[in-house]
Amino acid sequence: MKLEQYGWNEEWNRKWTDKLRLLDDREYAAGRIAGDFGSKYKVITAAGELWGELSGKFRHSLSGSGEYPAVGDWVVLAMQDGGAHAVIHGVLPRHSVISRKVAGPTQEEQIVASNVDTLFLVSALNDDFNVRRMERYLIMAWNSGANPVILLTKADLCTDAELKMAEMQQAAPGVPVHVVSAILGDGREELQPYIGRGHTVALTGSSGCGKSTMVNWLSGRNLQLTQDVREGDSRGRHTTTHRELFVLPDGGIIVDTPGMRELQLWEDDGGLDLAFGEISTLAAQCRFSDCTHTREEGCAVLEAAASGVLDGKRLQNYHKTQKELQFQNSKEARQKRKTAAASTKSAPPRAKAGSWQRVLDEY
């Protein structure tokens, strides 16, 4: 098996060389995380597919959930038991990270997938269709470093697909939007440029939007279990329960992810301005450089909304999301301060050589 078919290239070879300089002299092998099952990972290597787990030393060096290996990561492995399984000693620097905040009040990052070139944002053309929700997904995509592409699935169930496509294009200027139907086989040729050899795509969207069906359709095999949605509200169930990576017939790599009931954004790295590009453009024409676009005189954004040039609902969602991200960033900053303060306290004495602690630290 060649790692190139899983996306290995000269860039990863360079990162691999740099990473090895920081490690000891034992023999290591490269692998890519293909499945995350909690304490164990499915890993693809040149010798084939195997199970891996974190070394004690590596696990103890991680300060947050966002530093743990994720599906799509390239990792450093030490083979065990003649190559039957592996121990993970590190992660190569990522070129893209698709993140969200974990559900609930916990202030933790959850990585959906890493090292993705194109992120398919999937929305079904039934009651799942929601432009405002797609704006949130676009922020996540732009923040990740991956290129967003919107897929409107289940076109066979929709009588006004072109209208909805135009509505989505208006809300996502510059982002490719494709209408597809796995049942009818429509739209596959439009997706070919994204799934070429060595190219990694990931699918994300709400439960029941058709992500697993898309994986099966593009692969030509029943790789993922699918279920029907409820007729009353088109809501789906969590058919996919974990993130997993597959190789497509054309040589591309695709990552399926569990459906999201709710997308809580993690942080903003310019994604808000990119997702609401026309508001950012209008803001440059405001009288005041620190204009909040809420009540100021000479606000070009408010004037555009009043005249109908800018959709009022889109401006409302912009303000709502902006406040959410500001609140999220303040919580994250407080958490970092608490963590830094805790780390300055004196650490407990290390166990003596030969104890269980040394075993964990060394392996």
Side-chain angles (χ1 to χ4, degrees):
M1 180 181 295
K2 292 185 178 180
L3 288 179
E4 283 76 11
Q5 70 185 98
Y6 287 91
W8 187 265
N9 53 34
E10 283 302 317
E11 179 189 356
W12 291 116
N13 196 55
R14 178 181 57 77
K15 290 181 178 181
W16 172 259
T17 303
D18 293 341
K19 186 70 172 179
L20 288 187
R21 293 194 184 103
L22 306 176
L23 299 174
D24 54 41
D25 293 332
R26 81 178 76 186
E27 187 175 347
Y28 292 106
R32 192 170 194 188
I33 302 292
D36 182 353
F37 297 87
S39 61
K40 289 189 178 293
Y41 299 88
K42 186 187 292 185
V43 188
I44 300 296
T45 72
E49 189 177 281
L50 49 79
W51 289 100
E53 54 189 323
L54 305 185
S55 74
K57 184 176 182 180
F58 180 43
R59 184 187 298 276
H60 283 79
S61 73
L62 303 176
S63 60
S65 59
E67 296 183 7
Y68 278 74
V71 172
D73 272 331
W74 287 100
V75 292
V76 180
L77 306 169
M79 297 300 184
Q80 300 293 307
D81 298 334
H85 73 276
V87 177
I88 300 170
H89 287 268
V91 176
L92 298 191
R94 298 156 173 155
H95 76 70
S96 68
V97 183
I98 301 162
S99 295
R100 58 175 288 190
K101 179 189 168 297
V102 297
T106 307
Q107 198 65 21
E108 288 277 356
E109 178 186 16
Q110 182 183 60
I111 298 181
V112 178
S114 65
N115 301 320
V116 170
D117 301 302
T118 301
L119 180 58
F120 284 159
L121 307 175
V122 186
S123 175
L125 288 166
N126 52 19
D127 290 342
D128 178 67
F129 183 83
N130 188 314
V131 172
R132 302 283 83 85
R133 184 174 64 221
M134 184 58 72
E135 289 169 348
R136 297 176 63 80
Y137 278 97
L138 281 166
I139 294 171
M140 178 181 72
W142 286 125
N143 283 331
S144 73
N147 294 314
V149 172
I150 297 173
L151 300 188
L152 301 180
T153 62
K154 305 186 181 182
D156 49 290
L157 301 179
C158 182
T159 57
D160 60 346
E162 289 187 7
L163 231 112
K164 288 184 175 177
M165 180 180 179
E167 187 180 354
M168 195 64 80
Q169 287 173 327
Q170 187 175 6
V175 177
V177 181
H178 302 288
V179 174
V180 299
S181 169
I183 299 297
L184 300 178
D186 293 342
R188 183 189 174 96
E189 63 283 353
E190 297 177 22
L191 306 184
Q192 289 302 124
Y194 308 112
I195 57 176
R197 183 175 178 81
H199 194 93
T200 301
V201 300
L203 298 129
T204 190
S206 58
S207 299
C209 67
K211 298 186 302 300
S212 295
T213 300
M214 288 294 299
V215 171
N216 293 341
W217 180 45
L218 293 175
S219 67
R221 294 179 291 161
N222 289 324
L223 296 173
Q224 294 290 71
L225 178 68
T226 61
Q227 298 186 64
D228 293 332
V229 299
R230 296 197 301 249
E231 292 185 7
D233 57 5
S234 299
R235 294 295 294 273
R237 289 164 287 180
H238 287 299
T239 306
T240 301
T241 57
H242 58 270
R243 299 163 187 82
E244 194 161 2
L245 178 152
F246 304 98
V247 176
L248 298 172
D250 296 319
I253 303 105
I254 193 164
V255 180
D256 193 11
T257 66
M260 298 183 188
R261 295 291 189 200
E262 178 187 6
L263 171 60
Q264 296 190 52
L265 298 170
W266 172 238
E267 60 183 14
D268 185 38
D269 190 24
L272 180 69
D273 287 339
L274 288 169
F276 294 88
E278 78 280 34
I279 294 179
S280 301
T281 301
L282 287 166
Q285 304 170 31
C286 291
R287 181 181 300 175
F288 305 106
S289 59
D290 59 349
C291 185
T292 64
H293 322 308
T294 54
R295 60 178 66 87
E296 295 90 344
E297 290 187 9
C299 174
V301 175
L302 291 177
E303 290 172 3
S307 66
V309 173
L310 175 65
D311 184 356
K313 290 183 179 179
R314 185 159 164 81
L315 179 57
Q316 275 184 340
N317 201 36
Y318 171 82
H319 284 308
K320 178 184 175 182
T321 310
Q322 185 183 51
K323 288 179 181 177
E324 177 188 342
L325 286 167
Q326 288 171 346
F327 180 65
Q328 166 69 19
N329 289 339
S330 66
K331 286 174 65 179
E332 186 184 351
R334 287 197 300 271
Q335 183 65 40
K336 286 180 178 178
R337 286 196 295 270
K338 286 174 63 178
T339 303
S343 66
T344 59
K345 295 180 180 179
S346 57
R350 291 177 59 84
K352 293 181 179 179
S355 69
W356 62 269
Q357 183 65 50
R358 182 177 178 184
V359 174
L360 284 174
D361 286 347
E362 291 184 351
Y363 217 77

